Amino acid sequence: MANTSENLLIQAKEHFYALRLLESYAIFRRFFDRIPFQPEKRHAEYIGMFARLLAELGKTSELKFYMGELERWQSKLHDPSIAYQLAIVYSYLPEPRIESARRIFEQLLKDPNAADYRLKARMMLADYYDNKNDLGACRQLIFGVDLNDVDDPVLNLMYQVWRGKILSDENQHDEAMKIVTSVLEQVSVETNWYLYWWCKVILARTYFRVKRKKDAQRIITEVKEFLKIRRCRSLENHLSWLQQFDDLVSQARTAATTKSRTIRGEL
């Protein structure tokens, strides 16, 4: 029975990475329906995928249901695996409880019994500070980890992509593109849609910054073509953001050119 259950979870993970979200949901839903009766440490291993696919599928009522159950169990047990799951669910709510999630992730970094969750907690905190535009905090969290210590292959790649994003934001464009391109050589849209499109979005942003607009537009076209055949809410949001980012970069360049001409007395 245990082996069958583990095989099903592996299938659910493969479905998730291939963006077969309904197939993944059908398996994960049965697995996570055990939470009201007894949360398991294995739930924490898959909660990131499950919460994301619930958000992608618009099943917000289920996210709120699991939030309530996890809060109930955490008040009884004070267990780091439950705390981690609760913080993840907080992060994916339609109106995320980001400060509550941040406090839990920070506590997990200090908890001697939460070693299994520190790497993921650091990454979630990096996302929090990225949304706050605190690049220094992001760098400290991500570059403070030795990649040789990250045994999980997917988590290792995610840390690499985070490094590429931070370098791009720091205008270290060549190094950023080198890292992100290297990750793209190891994943595809079929094997890990999330990492694949995350890399593509970072590349597009970087291309806009270094005035390679045609290359950036090529990625935007690729995203649009993909969205014609597959629904992906987060990618739709990224597409909208990329198009706005193009406008912002263009406006910044125009403003800089106008300022330069004004200083030279050309206007």
Side-chain angles (χ1 to χ4, degrees), residues 16 26 33 36 66 78 83 87 96 115 148 196 212 220 228 233 249 260:
F16 173 81
D33 272 354
Y66 290 113
H78 303 287
N148 292 322
Y196 178 85
R212 291 173 56 178
I220 288 177
K228 287 180 180 179
R233 294 171 187 262
V249 171
S260 176

Side-chain angles (χ1 to χ4, degrees), residues 103-146:
R103 287 192 289 270
I104 293 175
F105 290 132
E106 288 178 344
Q107 290 167 3
L108 290 172
L109 294 186
K110 301 173 185 176
D111 187 344
N113 298 314
D116 292 340
Y117 311 105
R118 288 191 191 123
L119 287 172
K120 292 180 179 179
R122 288 176 77 96
M123 195 172 291
M124 294 301 294
L125 284 170
D127 187 64
Y128 169 87
Y129 285 109
D130 182 51
N131 288 328
K132 297 289 185 180
N133 295 315
D134 190 339
L135 189 55
C138 287
R139 167 171 273 278
Q140 185 176 8
L141 285 161
I142 298 300
F143 282 85
V145 171
D146 186 344

Side-chain angles (χ1 to χ4, degrees), residues 1-240:
M1 177 69 76
N3 288 336
T4 301
S5 177
E6 190 60 37
N7 289 337
L8 283 172
L9 290 173
I10 291 172
Q11 290 179 33
K13 183 164 63 173
E14 291 173 349
H15 286 316
F16 173 81
Y17 284 140
L19 202 60
R20 297 188 294 267
L21 298 186
L22 289 175
E23 294 87 340
S24 181
Y25 169 77
I27 298 172
F28 274 142
R29 171 66 188 272
R30 292 195 296 272
F31 176 56
F32 280 92
D33 272 354
R34 302 177 195 173
I35 282 180
F37 306 100
Q38 181 65 59
E40 302 175 17
K41 191 171 183 179
R42 284 197 309 168
H43 286 136
E45 181 180 348
Y46 296 100
I47 189 65
M49 294 182 200
F50 187 55
R52 179 173 288 279
L53 74 84
L54 287 179
E56 291 284 354
L57 294 172
K59 295 183 178 293
T60 57
S61 61
E62 292 188 32
L63 278 168
K64 293 176 181 178
F65 168 77
Y66 290 113
M67 178 188 71
E69 292 300 311
L70 289 166
E71 286 177 334
R72 178 173 65 85
W73 278 109
Q74 182 60 6
S75 67
K76 293 180 180 180
L77 302 179
H78 303 287
D79 184 281
S81 71
I82 299 174
Y84 172 73
Q85 293 178 69
L86 180 57
I88 290 292
V89 171
Y90 281 159
S91 301
Y92 282 98
L93 291 171
E95 295 181 0
R97 295 175 58 177
I98 56 173
E99 294 301 330
S100 296
R102 174 190 60 79
R103 287 192 289 270
I104 293 175
F105 290 132
E106 288 178 344
Q107 290 167 3
L108 290 172
L109 294 186
K110 301 173 185 176
D111 187 344
N113 298 314
D116 292 340
Y117 311 105
R118 288 191 191 123
L119 287 172
K120 292 180 179 179
R122 288 176 77 96
M123 195 172 291
M124 294 301 294
L125 284 170
D127 187 64
Y128 169 87
Y129 285 109
D130 182 51
N131 288 328
K132 297 289 185 180
N133 295 315
D134 190 339
L135 189 55
C138 287
R139 167 171 273 278
Q140 185 176 8
L141 285 161
I142 298 300
F143 282 85
V145 171
D146 186 344
L147 292 180
N148 292 322
D149 295 334
V150 186
D151 297 327
D152 182 279
V154 175
L155 193 59
N156 191 294
L157 288 175
M158 291 180 74
Y159 262 97
Q160 290 182 52
V161 178
W162 258 112
R163 290 187 175 200
K165 182 194 181 302
I166 291 168
L167 289 168
S168 178
D169 291 343
E170 293 175 339
N171 295 321
Q172 300 185 57
H173 302 306
D174 289 342
E175 187 62 26
M177 288 189 286
K178 179 180 178 182
I179 291 174
V180 174
T181 301
S182 174
V183 174
L184 276 173
E185 292 173 353
Q186 302 174 64
V187 299
S188 69
V189 72
E190 291 83 16
T191 61
N192 192 323
W193 68 271
Y194 178 72
L195 271 179
Y196 178 85
W197 289 118
W198 188 17
C199 287
K200 289 285 188 175
V201 167
I202 293 170
L203 276 180
R205 288 174 46 165
T206 307
Y207 287 149
F208 279 130
R209 285 169 169 154
V210 299
K211 302 181 182 180
R212 291 173 56 178
K213 189 167 182 176
K214 288 184 178 180
D215 290 325
Q217 290 291 352
R218 193 174 297 114
I219 291 176
I220 288 177
T221 299
E222 184 181 353
V223 172
K224 289 179 178 178
E225 290 300 314
F226 181 78
L227 290 174
K228 287 180 180 179
I229 58 174
R230 303 296 293 271
R231 179 72 192 275
C232 182
R233 294 171 187 262
S234 60
L235 190 54
E236 289 168 0
N237 292 335
H238 278 308
L239 176 61
S240 176

